[in-house]
């Protein structure tokens, strides 16, 4: 394992203030980048092999190269709306090392010639937003944000925008609508944000972790950065690990490390020696994997080959004592609550699924409902405007596929339980109904 | 500015090669050119760009792994599309199953049943089964959304059409979605009703029965009604409509989409004022004054008496012709007045005649802009008009141009405009000073000094300079949308010259995509003028052999006793003419007043000797001319109500009784005569007009339009706007809702305006007036009362009141300066 | 079951969604853009909104900050506050409520000013979040000053089960600590200082080694 990049010195007291950050050599990579030609800078980003850390894994260099040249106003927007259940890595970066993010963002802004830029942070991260706001002010006071920074001729503005509680605003076009003061509904694509994004201008949108990694790329050089990790999965990745786990938290790993090493080696595995029933490899919207998949390498391609996705890099461990129905219930409840309502399959499909799982819990479902539930997930996947519908349908679909027996057993048990209860109620009420014997 | 492309591309839809214009959305192209229907809910091109929300239109496009939304994929050359594969069918069935899980199947009691896109799509593309066994949502229904519209949230499928319409077409931003996901619902702010000039369009847009018209609710099923296409003549916009008729009654008005006229929308007056056709207070039989009261009489008695009275007055008869008069009625009335009575005192313009040469210049075919030009021009200048009040549907067209086509909207008006928010620049001038403002702007464009002219207009010299700069930079295609009030009043001829100079400065003569577009005061004002229903013109805007009195002079002559009889054809001078005071005197002196009217408006009620029932627009046949020169055909859609008879026939009969039979046996005979006698209409026929009309200015015959002097004209220096000096300038305007039809329609009565006194915060403070209190506005001993309405954007020094309302009208005040105080 | 309910009211089981049975009050005027001349706006609210307008100069970007300002002023997004914000922004109040109701953090009803969000999403519920919420409800459910609610993932699964007390993240909260935490919330004291996320070191052992 190489040294940490993103987490380098992260617990140093006062790192969130500009003096400490500068003392550690902060903003020198920005100064180096400002001396480069824009085209070379984008080549450098492309060469690093860094892929977007927000969930989709799109190479950042390629994304930056899509931004058209010309006089129009361009924007870089940082997606700090970290809301994918199980994911909390950006939070730690923002809270402890905000200047690293600002430095990476300004380098990206310079690369695509974006003079107005925004960080959109989820509303719940109030303390983190205050820290970030203070850091932006410090940077502005020192002339790192503003006119002609470091004498480069490049002028840059950066504002912090706070969300107000909506998972869908983590979807890049939902985020843009929210930033424009609208309901955070995802937009139809194309046009893609690179061509027509914020205020209809070309917009580069990247996640906090992605932008925070940029100073390291400048420091190590594209080759140096690309040497970390495995093929098509360059660099280090922050992994948030939570759920039934001994040592939950964020870990910076080199991509390609085995999943078992993360879950058991770093995080200590489930408490009390319990076994793993299943785990989400990249946040709650990725299909679940089981204990059989623990030796899969933790990188984009390997996880995909195992039938899931690296997503935001958030591992949620579920141990053997947990109920898959409860898990499906939480998933359906969450996604139906967070569906924006714009497109039919997601709006209706998530709510319908929620009601079906509810009925399993109530004891009014039959195994046929399981078939309907599975079919409804199929009806959602690929039919929606954005990926939120799929984000519920994929994990629930995978749960039903992998744990059908458990679902059926629970349906049966809950029905029996309900019938027992009803019978008891009838008996207590001394009800006599003709033709029905107790 | 680019208009829709005509470049064709070839694509394959379900195995058939199809040619369609590049950039067209697949769903439209498939239907129009491929005869393949791709079902949609949320998409309707007229609302704006697609949003891809309902997912009903998923299709397979070769080369793209995921299904694509047909509403939002533009056709490209070589595209191969499949709309009937198992994958597509599965997706369509899935989406319909989802949409129907919460939709109540109350089709038997739903107004939409039988004309419902959800029914049609479920029938055509649904799986026919639902596996949803959970309880559907149930809510109280229907609920009032406004006095006009009911909402049934159970039925709503959240297609977004109505809220997109409110936010992006009408831009009233009153109808929105609240909450999120499956909890989302359509609503207004805090229980306020959705009341806006164009609210009714959402009823027609709704693809289910979630939004229904309260006046139409449960009146008929689609199979009980017949649709009859005609034209709404309630304002100069002349929207194309379709009347839903049951048992000879109009039960509903729907839009009849016409890109060249209305773009598929209607205002609420046009949509709901049909009710005035079937109300008790409508006049449906001849009335005669008897002992001071108007009483019903037989047709024979009314006609005979009218003929007798007119014959007695002879050449001492004047006639005022209202804007709702058709060309045919106009022609027969001029025959009656000129040939049968020997009078030349006939006018269809309120406020006085315009020099004939100027009329010709203003109406010259090479200078006419079309309605679609408003949407595609580089810039549109509104000059002394307020579209939402004067020709409502144009307001939506201008918003569309600004929103979707980058039209630069410039506004010059005395009263703040509803479009100010969308304008690149707005300038104010003192009421009645449009002429001076146009002169100032013309001078500024010519690089001449304009400051003193701006001052005379009561305008800011910087505003004039800014507008001139914007106009110069905008590009060649400029449309000036101007209000008739610019050429009314004492300085009307100078106003026309200033306007023509402005057009000349911008080089608008012969300019494609640019020109002048007038909003006249009456629906068919343009047609009536072209037919010579004027004191100074003969048919076809030819020279009048003898020039008669104009409307102002008719009033004066009646008051002086030089005229003794007055014919009012769809006209009430107490509502339509600028000075109530003059017309009170004139009507008081007139010994004979014969009115053709549908309602007992003030002059009819107080002064008419004989009242003939006027046909409603649904009962009329004939032709009218749109302000952009489109000749349109009215078709009779219902039987005439009560004893009402065809007015053209009555006018012909009266002339015959007076010894000069025009020999008009049918209305279409009169139309044919018009097409023959107006040189620039030559070659038109009712068949050619069909359902969409024809712009005569685009035809070859337009070359025979009489020649006119050309700009630039030397302008007379305008008088300076009166300075407030403690008093306030009086401005007046006619609201969209100020009309007898609105007042008479039960559903719209709540909109009929009460007088409000619009005043600036500074003036209100100085005068100690608070918002909402009753204030008195007085000038020269006359006064009216109204509720004070303090508006942040009201110009300081001017107060605005409504005209054309039966009580407390601004026309009762002489002006130009008024005193405002707390009542 | 002697009194079997024969007549089931049509709307009883369905009206789960607030607002869906809201009709327009036809006595009210339509809610157009409030006129700046006749809408009084408290000074601090106006200042906060105008500051947002300066920071986000394009379009309606100031909506969310404006709604936060209304909530800070009135404790919730009251119709009165929305109208005032609409007057400053020159937009209709409906445009603002459409946005406000989309987001979970805007309150459309007057509620306690102290917000306590308990995460009940997957990671937290795997380790007892539902029990934590129930325990807190027991303690604080009746308190009119407290707006206690279960919330979707708050992005702090490393301290599960957790709560956000007016934006301060605390966790992992043990059931035994609930009375103490509830007391601190009631008193307005710093909640469980030792368990605050802001003081928590990084879990990655490599960081400590540096």
């Amino acid at each position: 394992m190489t040294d940490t990049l993103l987490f380098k010195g992260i617990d140093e007291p006062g790192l969130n203030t500009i003096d400490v950050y500068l003392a550690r050599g902060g903003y020198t990579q920005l100064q180096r980048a400002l001396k480069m030609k824009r085209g070379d800078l984008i080549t450098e980003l492309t060469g690093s092999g860094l892929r977007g850390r927000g969930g989709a894994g799109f190479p950042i260099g390629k994304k930056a190269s899509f931004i058209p040249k010309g006089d129009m106003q361009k924007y870089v927007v940082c997606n700090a709306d970290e809301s994918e259940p199980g994911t909390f890595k950006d939070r730690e970066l923002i809270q402890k090392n905000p200047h690293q993010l600002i430095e990476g963002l300004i380098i990206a802004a310079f690369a695509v010639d974006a003079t107005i830029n925004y960080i959109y942070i989820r509303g719940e991260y109030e303390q983190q937003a205050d820290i970030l706001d203070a850091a932006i002010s410090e940077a502005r006071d020192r002339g790192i944000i503003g006119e002609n920074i470091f004498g480069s001729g490049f002028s840059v503005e950066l504002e912090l925008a706070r969300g107000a509680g909506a998972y869908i605003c983590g979807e890049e076009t939902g985020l843009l609508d929210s930033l424009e003061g609208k309901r955070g509904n995802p937009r139809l694509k194309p046009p893609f944000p690179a061509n027509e994004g914020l205020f209809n201008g070309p917009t580069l949108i990247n996640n906090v972790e992605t932008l925070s990694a940029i100073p390291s790329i400048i420091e190590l050089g594209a080759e140096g950065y690309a040497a970390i990790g495995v093929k098509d999965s360059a660099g280090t990745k922050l992994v948030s690990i939570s759920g039934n786990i001994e040592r939950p938290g964020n870990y910076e790993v080199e991509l390609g490390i085995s999943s078992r090493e993360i879950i058991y080696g770093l995080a200590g595995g489930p408490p009390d020696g319990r076994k793993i029933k299943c785990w989400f490899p990249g946040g709650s919207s990725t299909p679940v994997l089981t204990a059989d998949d623990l030796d899969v390498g933790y990188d984009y391609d390997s996880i995909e080959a195992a039938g899931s996705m690296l997503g935001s890099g958030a591992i949620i461990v579920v141990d053997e004592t947990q109920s898959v129905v409860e898990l499906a219930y939480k998933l359906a409840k969450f996604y139906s609550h967070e569906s924006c309502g714009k497109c039919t399959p997601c709006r209706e499909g998530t709510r319908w699924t929620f009601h079906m799982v509810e009925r399993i819990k109530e004891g009014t479902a039959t195994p046929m409902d399981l078939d309907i539930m599975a079919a409804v997930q199929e009806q959602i996947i690929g039919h929606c405007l954005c990926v939120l519908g799929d984000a519920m349908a994929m994990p629930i679909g995978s749960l039903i596929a992998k744990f059908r027996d458990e679902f059926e057993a629970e349906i049966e048990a809950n029905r029996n339980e309900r019938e027992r209860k009803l019978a008891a109620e009838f008996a207590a009420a001394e009800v006599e109904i003709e033709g029905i014997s107790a | 500015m680019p208009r829709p492309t005509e470049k064709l591309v070839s694509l394959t839809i379900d195995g058939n090669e199809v040619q369609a214009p590049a950039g067209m959305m697949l769903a439209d192209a498939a239907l129009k050119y491929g005869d393949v229907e791709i079902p949609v809910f949320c998409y309707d091109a007229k609302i704006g760009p697609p949003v891809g929300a309902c997912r009903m239109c998923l299709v397979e496009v070769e080369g793209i792994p995921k299904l694509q939304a047909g509403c939002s994929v533009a056709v490209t050359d070589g595209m191969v599309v499949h709309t009937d594969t198992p994958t597509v069918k599965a997706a369509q069935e899935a989406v319909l199953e989802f949409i129907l899980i919460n939709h109540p199947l109350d089709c038997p009691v739903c107004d939409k049943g039988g004309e419902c896109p959800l029914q049609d799509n479920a029938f055509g593309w649904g799986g026919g089964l639902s596996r949803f066994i959970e309880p559907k949502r149930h809510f109280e229904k229907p609920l009032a959304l406004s006095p006009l519209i009911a909402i049934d949230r159970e039925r709503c499928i959240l297609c977004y059409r109505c809220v997109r319409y409110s936010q992006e077409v009408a831009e009233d931003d009153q109808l929105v979605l609240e909450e999120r996901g499956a909890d989302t619902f359509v609503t207004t702010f805090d229980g306020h009703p959705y009341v806006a000039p164009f609210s009714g369009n959402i009823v027609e847009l709704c693809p289910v029965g979630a939004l229904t018209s309260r006046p139409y609710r449960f009146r008929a099923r689609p199979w009980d009604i017949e649709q009859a296409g005609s034209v709404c003549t309630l304002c100069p916009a002349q929207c194309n409509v379709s009347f839903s008729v049951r048992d000879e009654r109009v039960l509903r008005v729907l839009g009849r989409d016409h890109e060249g006229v209305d773009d598929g929308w209607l205002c609420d007056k046009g949509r709901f004022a049909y009710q005035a056709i079937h109300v008790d207070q409508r006049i449906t039989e001849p009335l005669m004054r008897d002992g001071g009261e108007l009483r019903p009489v037989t047709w024979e008695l009314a006609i005979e008496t009218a003929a007798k009275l007119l014959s007695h007055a002879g050449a001492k008869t004047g006639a005022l012709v209202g804007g709702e008069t058709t060309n045919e009625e106009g022609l027969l009335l001029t025959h009656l007045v000129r040939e049968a009575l020997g009078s030349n005192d006939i006018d269809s313009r309120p406020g006085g005649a315009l020099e004939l040469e100027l009329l010709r210049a203003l109406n010259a075919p090479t200078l006419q802009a079309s309605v679609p030009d408003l949407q595609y021009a580089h810039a549109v200048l509104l000059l002394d008009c307020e579209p939402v009040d004067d020709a409502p549907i144009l307001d939506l067209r201008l918003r569309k141009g600004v929103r979707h086509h980058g039209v630069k909207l410039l506004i010059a008006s005395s009263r703040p405009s509803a479009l100010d928010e969308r304008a690149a620049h707005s300038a104010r001038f003192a009421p009645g000073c449009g002429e001076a403002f146009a002169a100032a702007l013309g001078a500024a464009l010519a690089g001449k000094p304009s400051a003193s002219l701006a001052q005379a207009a009561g305008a800011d010299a910087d505003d004039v300079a800014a507008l001139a700069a914007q106009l110069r930079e905008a590009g060649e295609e400029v449309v000036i949308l101007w209000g008739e009030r610019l050429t009314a009043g004492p300085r009307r001829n100078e106003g026309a010259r200033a306007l023509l100079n402005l057009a000349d400065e911008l080089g608008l003569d012969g300019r494609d995509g640019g020109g002048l577009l007038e909003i006249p005061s009456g629906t068919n004002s343009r047609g009536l003028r072209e037919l010579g229903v004027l004191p100074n013109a003969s048919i076809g805007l030819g020279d009048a052999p003898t020039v008669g009195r104009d409307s102002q002079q008719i009033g004066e002559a009646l008051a002086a006793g030089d005229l003794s009889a007055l014919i009012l054809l769809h006209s009430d001078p107490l509502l339509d003419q600028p000075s109530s005071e003059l017309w009170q005197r004139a009507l008081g002196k007139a010994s004979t007043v014969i009115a053709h009217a549908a309602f007992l408006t003030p002059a009819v009620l107080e002064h008419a000797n004989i009242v003939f029932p006027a046909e409603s627009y649904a009962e009329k046949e004939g032709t009218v001319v749109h302000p952009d020169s489109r000749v349109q055909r009215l078709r009779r859609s219902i039987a005439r109500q009560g004893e009402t008879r065809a007015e053209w026939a009555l006018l012909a009969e009266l002339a015959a009784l007076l010894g000069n039979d025009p020999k008009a046996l049918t209305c279409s005979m009169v139309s044919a005569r018009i097409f023959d006698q107006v040189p620039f209409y030559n070659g038109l026929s009712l068949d050619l007009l069909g359902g969409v009309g024809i712009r005569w200015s685009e035809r070859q015959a337009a070359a025979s339009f009489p020649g006119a002097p050309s700009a630039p004209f030397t302008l007379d220096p305008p008088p300076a706007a009166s300075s407030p000096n403690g008093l306030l300038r009086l401005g007046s305007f006619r609201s969209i809702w100020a009309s007898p039809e609105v007042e008479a329609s039960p559903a719209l009565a709540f909109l009929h305006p009460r007088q409000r006194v619009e005043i600036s915060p500074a003036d209100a403070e100085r005068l100690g007036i608070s918002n909402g209190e009753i204030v008195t506005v007085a000038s020269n001993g006359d006064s009216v009362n109204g509720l004070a309405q303090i508006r942040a954007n009201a110009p300081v020094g001017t107060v605005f009141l409504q005209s054309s309302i039966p009580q407390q009208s601004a026309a009762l005040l002489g002006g130009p300066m008024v005193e405002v105080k707390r009542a | 079951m002697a009194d079997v309910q024969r007549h089931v009211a049509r709307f009883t089981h369905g009206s789960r969604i607030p607002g869906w049975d809201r009709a327009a009050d036809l006595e009210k005027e339509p809610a157009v853009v409030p006129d700046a001349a006749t809408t009084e706006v408290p000074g601090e609210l106006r200042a906060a909104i105008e500051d947002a307008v300066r920071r986000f100069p394009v379009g309606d970007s100031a909506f969310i900050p404006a709604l936060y300002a209304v909530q800070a002023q009135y404790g919730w997004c009251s119709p009165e506050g929305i109208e005032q914000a609409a007057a400053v922004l020159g937009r209709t109040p409906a445009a603002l409520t459409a946005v406000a109701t989309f987001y979970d953090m805007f309150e459309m009803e007057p509620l306690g000013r102290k917000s306590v969000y308990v995460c009940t999403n997957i990671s937290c519920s795997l380790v007892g979040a539902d029990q934590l919420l129930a325990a807190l409800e027991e303690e604080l459910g009746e308190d009119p000053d407290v707006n206690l609610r279960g919330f979707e993932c708050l992005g702090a699964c490393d301290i599960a089960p957790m709560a956000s007390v007016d934006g301060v993240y605390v966790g992992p909260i043990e059931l035994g600590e609930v009375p103490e935490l509830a007391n601190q919330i009631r008193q307005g004291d710093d909640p469980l200082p030792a368990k605050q996320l802001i003081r928590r070191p990084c879990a990655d052992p490599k960081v400590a080694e540096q």
Side-chain angles (χ1 to χ4, degrees), chain B residues 623-660:
Chain B
T623 57
V624 289
V625 185
H626 186 280
D628 85 348
S629 85
R630 182 178 299 276
V631 186
Q632 304 206 89
R633 182 174 179 189
L634 304 184
R635 286 168 184 267
R636 201 174 134 200
S637 304
I638 53 170
R640 295 182 189 91
Q641 304 291 296
E643 301 293 312
T644 310
R645 291 188 188 174
E647 286 177 88
W648 68 265
L650 168 65
L651 292 167
E653 191 176 345
L654 274 174
L657 282 176
L658 290 164
N660 197 322

Side-chain angles (χ1 to χ4, degrees), chain B residues 153-441:
Chain B
R153 294 200 174 95
E154 286 180 7
R155 292 180 189 154
C156 175
I157 61 166
L158 289 171
C159 72
Y160 277 59
R161 282 183 177 213
C162 57
V163 293
R164 280 171 63 212
Y165 167 81
S166 167
Q167 291 159 31
E168 295 170 25
V169 179
E171 296 182 340
D172 56 53
D173 257 334
Q174 288 187 41
L175 197 66
V176 293
L177 295 173
E178 284 193 8
E179 297 300 331
R180 186 170 81 194
D183 292 352
T184 312
F185 65 103
V186 172
T187 190
T188 55
F189 172 68
D190 195 32
H192 289 260
Y194 178 36
V195 177
F198 307 98
S199 69
N201 288 314
I202 61 171
V203 172
E204 216 172 315
L205 279 177
C206 183
V208 294
L211 295 166
T212 47
S213 151
R214 295 180 82 199
Y216 180 66
R217 250 182 109 78
F218 306 135
R219 293 295 193 285
R221 306 309 305 249
W223 47 89
D224 298 328
I225 52 178
E226 288 174 283
Q227 296 296 337
S230 190
V231 172
C232 172
T233 63
L234 295 176
C235 89
Q238 295 183 13
C239 297
N240 288 195
V241 295
S242 174
F243 297 108
S244 295
V245 176
R246 179 181 186 177
D247 298 338
E248 302 298 348
R249 286 172 72 90
V250 177
L251 293 186
R252 176 174 73 169
V253 178
L254 299 176
R256 192 161 58 80
D257 294 18
H258 192 325
E259 202 265 334
V261 178
D262 48 48
D263 213 21
W265 309 117
L266 293 180
C267 72
D268 285 1
K269 179 162 73 171
R271 187 176 295 279
F272 297 106
Y274 68 86
Q275 288 194 319
I277 299 170
H278 305 290
V279 291
D280 291 344
Q281 63 264 48
R282 183 178 157 200
I283 304 166
T284 53
E285 56 197 340
L287 305 173
M288 258 173 73
R289 196 166 297 274
D290 176 12
E293 294 258 329
L294 286 170
R295 293 179 204 281
V297 292
T298 62
W299 269 100
E300 289 66 28
L301 180 61
I303 293 175
E304 270 170 34
T305 315
K308 212 178 295 169
L309 290 171
L310 286 174
S311 148
H312 182 72
K316 290 178 82 173
T317 304
L320 295 184
V321 184
E324 288 178 50
T325 307
T326 61
N327 294 336
E328 289 68 17
E329 291 160 352
L331 186 80
L332 291 168
L333 181 72
T334 52
H335 177 87
L336 173 71
V337 173
R338 291 202 169 117
E339 314 301 326
L341 294 169
S343 166
N344 290 295
D345 303 339
I346 180 169
D347 201 355
S348 60
R349 289 182 93 257
L354 201 60
E355 287 171 20
L356 180 58
E357 301 235 294
L358 293 173
L359 259 181
R360 288 175 182 158
L362 288 169
N363 284 277
T366 48
L367 197 53
Q368 304 306 301
S370 70
V371 172
D373 288 342
L374 295 173
Q375 179 183 331
Y376 296 109
H378 292 118
V380 175
L381 171 66
L382 304 193
L383 186 55
D384 219 354
C385 65
E386 171 64 330
V388 73
D389 286 330
D390 302 343
I393 220 66
L394 299 184
D395 177 271
L396 296 186
R397 190 62 77 105
L398 290 161
R399 290 176 190 277
K400 184 180 185 182
V402 172
R403 177 175 288 265
H404 295 301
H405 303 278
V407 171
K408 188 191 276 187
L409 181 63
L410 305 166
I411 300 179
S413 64
S414 41
R415 182 169 172 256
S417 168
L419 285 160
D420 279 342
E421 279 285 299
R422 309 296 294 157
H425 194 88
S426 289
R428 297 284 97 90
F429 51 80
C433 293
E435 169 220 350
F437 191 91
L441 189 55

Side-chain angles (χ1 to χ4, degrees), chain B residues 135 137-139 144-145 153-154 172-173 177-180 183-185 187-193 214 791-792, chain C residues 10-11 13-15 19-20 22 24-26 28-30 35 37-38 79 83 91-94 97-98 101-102 104:
Chain B
R137 289 184 202 121
H138 288 302
F139 294 96
L145 185 65
R153 294 200 174 95
E154 286 180 7
D172 56 53
D173 257 334
L177 295 173
E178 284 193 8
E179 297 300 331
R180 186 170 81 194
D183 292 352
T184 312
F185 65 103
T187 190
T188 55
F189 172 68
D190 195 32
H192 289 260
R214 295 180 82 199
R791 288 179 58 168
Chain C
R10 178 167 162 68
F11 317 117
H13 77 290
S15 299
W20 278 50
R22 187 165 87 206
D25 176 353
L26 300 184
K28 288 186 178 177
E29 293 285 316
D35 198 298
T38 50
E83 274 181 5
R91 298 295 315 275
T92 61
T97 47
T101 56
F102 188 86
D104 288 338

Side-chain angles (χ1 to χ4, degrees), chain A residues 271-411:
Chain A
D272 308 329
R274 281 177 251 156
K275 292 203 177 81
I276 291 177
K277 176 177 278 182
C278 62
W279 54 288
F280 297 81
S284 69
S285 57
T286 54
V288 294
L289 299 177
T290 64
D292 298 341
D293 303 308
L294 281 169
D295 292 315
V296 170
Y298 199 73
D299 60 75
Y300 292 99
D301 295 344
S302 306
I303 296 283
E304 200 174 321
S308 189
M309 293 181 300
L310 194 72
S312 58
I315 296 176
I316 304 171
V317 177
V318 181
D319 75 25
E320 57 186 337
T321 65
Q322 304 290 340
S323 144
V324 286
V325 170
E326 194 59 31
L327 207 52
Y329 177 77
K330 288 285 178 187
L331 282 168
K333 178 168 165 286
F334 172 68
Y335 287 104
S336 81
H337 177 75
E338 297 296 349
S339 168
C340 81
K342 184 170 181 175
C343 81
T344 309
C346 173
R347 178 184 68 236
E348 305 297 339
T350 55
R351 187 59 60 96
W352 188 4
T353 304
F354 172 66
H355 286 317
M356 284 190 282
V357 190
E358 220 176 21
R359 285 197 296 107
I360 296 180
K361 285 180 55 145
E362 280 169 5
T364 56
T366 67
M368 196 182 82
D369 285 303
L370 214 49
D371 293 333
I372 298 174
M373 209 158 101
V376 165
Q377 309 316 305
E378 289 302 310
Q379 286 187 188
I380 296 171
I381 293 172
H383 293 161
C384 301
L385 185 67
C386 82
V387 293
L388 191 145
D390 295 18
M392 178 201 72
M394 290 191 300
I396 290 194
S398 72
L399 279 174
I400 298 173
K402 289 181 178 167
F403 298 97
R404 193 173 177 105
D405 294 350
E406 280 191 37
F407 274 100
E408 286 182 355
E410 199 155 335
I411 286 171

Side-chain angles (χ1 to χ4, degrees), chain B residues 622-752:
Chain B
T623 57
V624 289
V625 185
H626 186 280
D628 85 348
S629 85
R630 182 178 299 276
V631 186
Q632 304 206 89
R633 182 174 179 189
L634 304 184
R635 286 168 184 267
R636 201 174 134 200
S637 304
I638 53 170
R640 295 182 189 91
Q641 304 291 296
E643 301 293 312
T644 310
R645 291 188 188 174
E647 286 177 88
W648 68 265
L650 168 65
L651 292 167
E653 191 176 345
L654 274 174
L657 282 176
L658 290 164
N660 197 322
D661 191 346
K663 299 200 170 60
L665 301 180
T666 64
C667 188
S668 46
M669 253 176 86
V670 186
S671 308
R673 201 172 292 171
I674 288 168
F675 299 144
D676 183 50
Q677 290 183 9
V678 178
F680 43 93
Y681 293 175
N682 281 178
L684 287 176
S685 70
L686 291 176
D687 283 351
L688 269 179
L689 296 184
V692 295
I694 289 177
R695 287 188 76 211
W696 68 256
S697 61
E698 288 176 1
R699 299 174 68 250
Q700 283 215 321
S704 55
F705 190 82
S710 52
F713 300 94
T714 315
L715 298 182
D716 203 22
S722 19
S723 72
N725 230 353
L727 298 174
L728 294 173
R729 293 172 179 140
L730 171 66
S732 67
F733 67 99
R734 179 183 182 148
S735 151
I736 169 178
W737 307 120
S739 89
E741 288 83 4
V742 170
E743 201 183 353
S745 298
L748 289 177
F750 78 104
L751 287 167
H752 192 255

Side-chain angles (χ1 to χ4, degrees), chain B residues 103-140:
Chain B
H103 189 84
L105 296 180
D106 59 354
C107 308
V109 291
C110 177
D111 263 354
K112 201 79 178 182
E115 51 180 25
C116 173
L118 178 56
Q119 282 183 335
D120 295 346
N121 285 356
F123 178 75
W125 292 274
L129 277 177
S130 176
R131 294 166 295 179
F132 184 78
I133 58 166
E134 285 76 8
K136 292 189 182 222
R137 289 184 202 121
H138 288 302
F139 294 96
E140 194 180 335

